[in-house]
Amino acid sequence: MTELASLLATLFIDPVQISGGGRLLMLLPLAASVGVVYKTIRCDRVRDIPLASLVLWVTIVLGMLAVGVILLIAYQILR
Amino acid sequence: MAGETSRAAASARRAVRTRSTPLTAALAWLLPGLGHWYLGHRDRASIFFVTIVVTFWGGVALGGVRSTMNVQDNGAWFAAQLCAGVQSVGALMWSKTIPDRLELTATYPTVDIAVVYTGIAGLLNLLVIIDALARAEAVNAPDLSSPRPAGGGGP
């Protein structure tokens, strides 16, 4: 019981330090969550969900990358 | 007689299928996917539960419960976090018990990422609640495909 409490403390009480490219990588699981929940709502058949979620996940990630690149270019031009 | 029997059968079928919309909404908020489970969509309910709970507690694990569930600093995000259900209330109560120490306070950008994860989990659960309500309404809607009872029914 003490070990479980200690594990919970380590997991959920102590914050994790994220820096550099790690913060960009955190987009991937969040986009996956959004894709899975949205496609679970939209798909009529449950067996269609994995592929539809994967397509949406790739779309979100590529879309966010495109937005990031556009904003970076705009920043470089306006700087 | 035959029409009466079929009407009774249709009424019994509807009685079995009818689901309380307020109860569906309450269950859907209480635990992600529970509303869909109540409506009989067990597969979808399991997917919603795992995805939203993992997203919420993943966010809490990133930022630590004290910094992530912070009513004063997070403003509108806190309202989004509350949509994640009773787990968010539990996390908030837990955060109140954590001492105010520097090593337990997340810094930028970790705290922002953690708050966004938990807030998005709440907003996703809001979508799931709305979907559960729509499905409950569809279940409770009269079955228009069944034949109308003989002799009309209008004034």
Side-chain angles (χ1 to χ4, degrees), chain A residues 8 11-18 23 26-27 29-30 33-34 36-41 43-46 49, chain B residues 44 47-48 51 55 57 61-65 94 98 103-104 106-110 113 116-117 120 128 131 135:
Chain A
L8 282 176
L11 266 179
F12 299 114
I13 295 178
D14 296 338
V16 177
Q17 294 302 320
I18 304 171
R23 73 180 100 173
M26 296 313 296
L27 167 71
L30 190 62
S33 296
V34 172
V36 167
V37 170
Y38 183 73
K39 284 301 175 184
T40 304
I41 289 172
C43 287
D44 291 331
R45 291 178 303 182
V46 174
I49 293 171
Chain B
R44 289 177 205 276
I47 295 170
F48 289 138
T51 310
T55 305
W57 287 101
L62 282 175
V65 69
W94 187 16
I98 308 296
E103 67 268 22
L104 300 181
T107 53
Y108 174 84
T110 304
I113 294 171
V116 166
Y117 260 72
I120 293 290
V128 171
D131 183 59
R135 287 177 192 269

Side-chain angles (χ1 to χ4, degrees), chain B:
Chain B
M1 183 68 185
E4 209 168 278
T5 309
S6 71
R7 267 202 304 279
S11 170
R13 206 166 51 240
R14 250 198 318 277
V16 169
R17 284 177 9 198
T18 300
R19 291 287 185 264
S20 162
T21 307
L23 181 61
T24 304
L27 291 174
W29 175 80
L30 198 67
L31 208 60
L34 194 57
H36 284 78
W37 187 278
Y38 172 64
L39 294 174
H41 302 285
R42 303 281 163 97
D43 295 338
R44 289 177 205 276
S46 306
I47 295 170
F48 289 138
F49 178 80
V50 170
T51 310
I52 293 173
V53 167
V54 166
T55 305
F56 184 86
W57 287 101
V60 173
L62 282 175
V65 69
R66 193 181 174 282
S67 298
T68 308
M69 302 302 295
N70 191 328
V71 186
Q72 282 83 31
D73 294 346
N74 298 338
W77 279 107
F78 181 71
Q81 289 170 335
L82 276 184
C83 294
V86 76
Q87 60 182 337
S88 60
V89 179
L92 176 66
M93 290 168 68
W94 187 16
S95 73
K96 302 285 185 197
T97 65
I98 308 296
D100 186 10
R101 292 210 312 261
L102 191 63
E103 67 268 22
L104 300 181
T105 306
T107 53
Y108 174 84
T110 304
V111 64
D112 288 358
I113 294 171
V115 169
V116 166
Y117 260 72
T118 49
I120 293 290
L123 293 176
L124 288 175
N125 197 42
L126 187 61
L127 273 182
V128 171
I129 292 169
I130 292 168
D131 183 59
L133 284 175
R135 287 177 192 269
E137 286 294 316
V139 164
N140 295 334
D143 190 2
L144 298 176
S145 62
S146 60
R148 296 183 65 172

Side-chain angles (χ1 to χ4, degrees), chain A residues 2 7 9 12 20-21 25 27 31 35 37 39-40 43-44 46 50-51 53 57 59 62 71-72 79:
Chain A
T2 313
L7 181 68
F12 299 114
L25 288 178
L27 167 71
V37 170
K39 284 301 175 184
T40 304
C43 287
D44 291 331
V46 174
L51 183 62
S53 302
W57 177 71
T59 307
L62 290 180
L71 288 175
L72 183 65
R79 189 171 60 159

